[in-house]
Amino acid sequence: MIITLAHTKGGVGKSTAAWHLAHAMKLLGKVELVDMDFNQTLHYVNIMAGRPFTVHQPRTVAELYELISRTTHDVTLIMDIGGFDSDLNRAAIRHSDHVVIPITPDRVTEVLGFRTFDAILSELDTVDTKFHVLFNNVHTSTRNFDKFKKAIKGSRFTILNSAIRSRKIYYSTMGNGESVFSSIGNVTAQTEILELRDELIKTR
Ligand SMILES: Nc1ncnc2c1ncn2[C@@H]1O[C@H](COP(=O)(O)OP(=O)(O)OP(=O)(O)O)[C@@H](O)[C@H]1O
Ligand SMILES: [Mg+2]
């Protein structure tokens, strides 16, 4: 299975979600990471963590295809692509089973930026790829998502029921090369990430 965290807008939480989701997936089986982000966030956090994952960094579409073709079916690939548009990023999206698009719903620039990304997605000839919007970095007091759902509705994607709240633990653990599943983790955050994992697995 290939799960790609994608959004042409930077800073929406792709790398953060990829890192914690990878740990949740690892509780179930083999996981490898694909870091195509210019900033190499996963590459560096994985080093800090003592290299719990193999991190691939394909530089060309040919290298990406080669990686995908030699990855066995028992491995979940979690791909973190950069916050920009490129042929490489488009190729990653087209070959994904799930594309997860993090958005902070009450940040108007992210909602507007999503329209640009959605227009790019409309140009891709995907067949089996499932697109999901993930509400990320949501204030812990936000309960009703209806108005945000209305602002981004579209037929290409589903809006995930799982949402990730704004929590310091997501970046404080990463900053130490850890995840929310480490000893200094947090059960509420773990539950959010496990719900995201299970929702993605279920919609396969
Ligand atoms: N749920 C969250 N709670 C708190 N902080 C968050 C959350 N998600 C992301 N952040 C913070 O927001 C910032 C941007 O997140 P991140 O680097 O994961 O975004 P990105 O989409 O990968 O960015 P880029 O496109 O630049 O690679 C980081 O400082 C991160 O710690
Ligand atoms: Mg990133």
Side-chain angles (χ1 to χ4, degrees):
M1 179 161 66
I2 302 180
I3 301 174
T4 297
L5 280 294
H7 197 319
T8 39
K9 192 167 189 326
V12 295
K14 297 180 287 292
S15 302
T16 305
W19 179 248
H20 297 293
L21 180 62
H23 285 80
M25 281 287 175
K26 202 165 184 263
L27 298 173
L28 299 180
K30 291 184 199 167
V31 178
E32 295 182 14
L33 304 181
V34 184
D35 184 1
M36 292 166 39
D37 182 352
F38 175 75
N39 296 303
Q40 304 187 71
T41 309
L42 293 185
H43 168 70
Y44 287 121
V45 73
N46 191 57
I47 291 174
M48 234 193 312
R51 300 182 193 268
F53 298 101
T54 299
V55 181
H56 305 278
Q57 294 186 284
R59 299 286 180 214
T60 63
V61 173
E63 282 178 22
L64 175 68
Y65 287 168
E66 208 267 323
L67 166 64
I68 290 173
S69 66
R70 77 177 136 83
T71 301
T72 51
H73 287 294
D74 58 334
V75 174
T76 298
L77 279 185
I78 298 197
M79 309 211 277
D80 177 22
I81 64 179
F84 50 85
D85 186 22
S86 71
D87 288 346
L88 186 55
N89 285 354
R90 288 183 181 217
I93 290 168
R94 286 194 14 251
H95 287 82
S96 299
D97 299 298
H98 295 285
V99 172
V100 177
I101 308 160
I103 292 185
T104 302
D106 48 3
R107 287 194 192 151
V108 69
T109 54
E110 292 190 17
V111 175
L112 295 175
F114 176 72
R115 297 201 182 146
T116 303
F117 187 43
D118 194 34
I120 290 170
L121 295 179
S122 74
E123 294 173 15
L124 305 183
D125 52 341
T126 51
V127 183
D128 290 329
T129 306
K130 292 189 169 64
F131 294 95
H132 314 271
V133 167
L134 169 67
F135 287 153
N136 176 47
N137 219 341
V138 185
H139 197 278
T140 44
S141 67
T142 304
R143 289 281 164 266
N144 190 335
F145 291 83
D146 290 352
K147 119 176 149 199
F148 308 125
K149 287 181 178 170
K150 241 183 244 163
I152 60 159
K153 69 173 184 298
S155 54
R156 199 177 333 284
F157 50 85
T158 60
I159 299 174
L160 291 164
N161 292 321
S162 338
I164 301 181
R165 303 282 169 169
S166 183
R167 297 184 198 283
K168 187 174 169 214
I169 192 88
Y170 287 119
Y171 54 83
S172 61
T173 48
M174 251 179 115
N176 296 329
E178 297 190 313
S179 79
V180 291
F181 296 96
S182 66
S183 55
I184 55 161
N186 161 302
V187 174
T188 318
Q190 288 174 9
T191 304
E192 287 179 353
I193 302 294
L194 292 173
E195 280 175 4
L196 169 63
R197 176 196 72 183
D198 294 344
E199 192 174 355
L200 291 173
I201 290 173
K202 210 173 58 200
T203 54
R204 184 65 204 127

